[in-house]
Structure formats: structure tokens, C-alpha cells
Amino acid sequence: MHAAFHHVPGRYRGGEGDDPEGFRRRNLDGTLRLFDAARAAGLSRVVFLSTRAVYGDYPPGTRLTEDLPPRPDTLYGDVKLAAEQALAAAGLTGVSLRATGVYGPPVPGRPHKWQNLFGAFGRGETLSPRIATEVHASDLAAAVRLALTVPQPPPLLNVSDIVLDRRDLLRRYADLTGGHGRLPLPGDPKQVSEMDTTRLRSLGWRPGGLGALDGTLEALAGG
């Protein structure tokens, strides 16, 4: 399972910072060497953590299926797509997981995904609306497990679960903590391009939905 990625902290799109060549060298050239080493070591299967960013600039509201031609519009998406293509040509059973944004429970000593957002909300700052897709880390791990173990896995699998409006996220968090920040305006769901996960679900994948989100928020509020 290859999930390593070098980037500016907190950023994937734009994660190259001011060093695009170094970003490409570390993340693409390093990945190609890893695939070569896997083949030389006699491994039969490699699972690669890719991203929804390979779909790129499809119009808002497009249903993103694995059969759509990739159209990355960032260096991040370009590098991930090139790695997908290299894996497909590597002579291995390769599976690329195109994951959306990932959230999960708190990790001791590390800031969580929404820490800055929750802090700004608690200070009463004005927050912009945002709506996007998310998947829980445990559901991503379950997808990895399936990709590693099912016979003849598909080479591409979308991994996504809920459509999450920032307003709803903060309202749920406020209900748990008793906070009274300023909720942003609702996002526009028509601007979201959801990834179709029919292919992954056909393998038995069942994500946690809003229950997983609420459990995570309870853990974050408790911390």
C-alpha cells in the first residue's frame, strides 16, 4: 500500500509551494522507483492512494465515474494521474484509489483537519460557505483492505461518502460543545461533483455516513 506524499503542510492542491520541480521529483519519480522495487521484489499487488483531483475541471454537478477521462487542472492531480498510469503499466495487479477529502478521529499531539475552522468559529469570525465531499479514515482503510484482498480488483476505485456543508458541520459541532459562533451561509449543492462509488460498493464496501461524522465530532469535542 503506497500512501506516502510530500507536500506543504495542510495543502494537497498547491502542495508544491514554490518548488514544483522538487514536488514532482519526490512524489512522481519516487513513486516510480517504488513500483520498480515492488516488481523486482516479486510483489503481486500494489494499492496506490490517488485522489479525486485527477478528474480536474469537469463542470460543477458532474457525476464522476471511473470511466470519465481524467482532466487534472493542478500539479497535484497531474502527478497522481501519472503515478496511476505508471502503476497500470508496471506489470503488477495495481489498484488506484481515488479518494476525496479524508477526516477522522483526533490523533494525540497532532492538529485535526478542522482545528483552525473550529477555532475561527469559536472566536466569532465570519466564515465563507463551503460544501464538499468527505470520507472517514476508517472507511478509506476498509477500501484499502478490499483492494488488497478481493480477487481481480478493478484498477480504479472512487472512495467518497458524504456531501458535507460547512454550515451543517459547524452546527453539529456547536450542538455538541454549546458553542455560539457565526454560522456561514449554506453552500450550493449544485456546485458539488460527487464521485460515483458503485464500483467500490459492489465489492461490499459500506461507509459510515453521517453516523461516522457524528462519532468523530463527539471525539473532537471531547478533546
Side-chain angles (χ1 to χ4, degrees):
M1 172 62 201
H2 175 30
F5 201 74
H6 187 281
H7 57 93
V8 173
R11 296 172 65 187
Y12 292 93
R13 291 176 174 85
E16 67 273 16
D18 59 1
D19 185 18
E21 291 306 316
F23 180 86
R24 181 179 292 275
R25 182 176 64 253
R26 286 183 288 267
N27 291 308
L28 181 55
D29 297 353
T31 291
L32 300 183
R33 289 194 297 272
L34 181 63
F35 292 164
D36 287 342
R39 184 175 57 251
L43 297 184
S44 59
R45 188 178 303 195
V46 172
V47 175
F48 171 61
L49 184 58
S50 188
T51 170
R52 65 168 288 140
V54 300
Y55 291 112
D57 63 353
Y58 279 94
T62 301
R63 187 77 173 175
L64 302 175
T65 70
E66 293 93 341
D67 295 327
L68 281 176
R71 299 187 348 189
D73 55 355
T74 61
L75 181 57
Y76 172 54
D78 277 338
V79 166
K80 287 289 191 177
L81 177 59
E84 285 187 7
Q85 293 168 338
L87 179 57
L92 300 158
T93 297
V95 184
S96 293
L97 299 178
R98 292 176 172 174
T100 191
V102 182
Y103 72 96
V107 177
R110 294 183 61 184
H112 63 78
K113 176 173 183 169
W114 296 312
Q115 187 157 317
N116 291 338
L117 175 66
F118 289 172
F121 176 67
R123 293 189 295 272
E125 296 180 14
T126 299
L127 299 168
S128 60
R130 185 175 188 271
I131 186 167
T133 53
E134 301 281 351
V135 67
H136 194 279
S138 63
D139 294 324
L140 176 57
V144 171
R145 188 176 299 111
L146 285 169
L148 286 170
T149 57
V150 298
Q152 299 180 327
L156 297 172
L157 289 169
N158 286 339
V159 188
S160 183
D161 185 14
I162 60 174
V163 177
L164 183 60
D165 191 314
R166 177 176 284 177
R167 179 183 177 89
D168 187 43
L169 170 68
L170 292 171
R171 179 186 57 77
R172 288 169 181 266
Y173 182 71
D175 288 345
L176 288 168
T177 61
H180 300 285
R182 300 172 62 182
L183 292 173
L185 294 172
D188 182 359
K190 294 180 180 178
Q191 296 299 307
V192 179
S193 292
E194 290 190 61
M195 289 198 293
D196 187 288
T197 58
T198 300
R199 189 176 292 182
L200 181 56
R201 289 172 186 269
S202 73
L203 303 178
W205 187 71
R206 298 293 181 269
L210 291 176
L213 173 66
D214 287 339
T216 297
L217 290 177
E218 289 174 4
L220 295 177

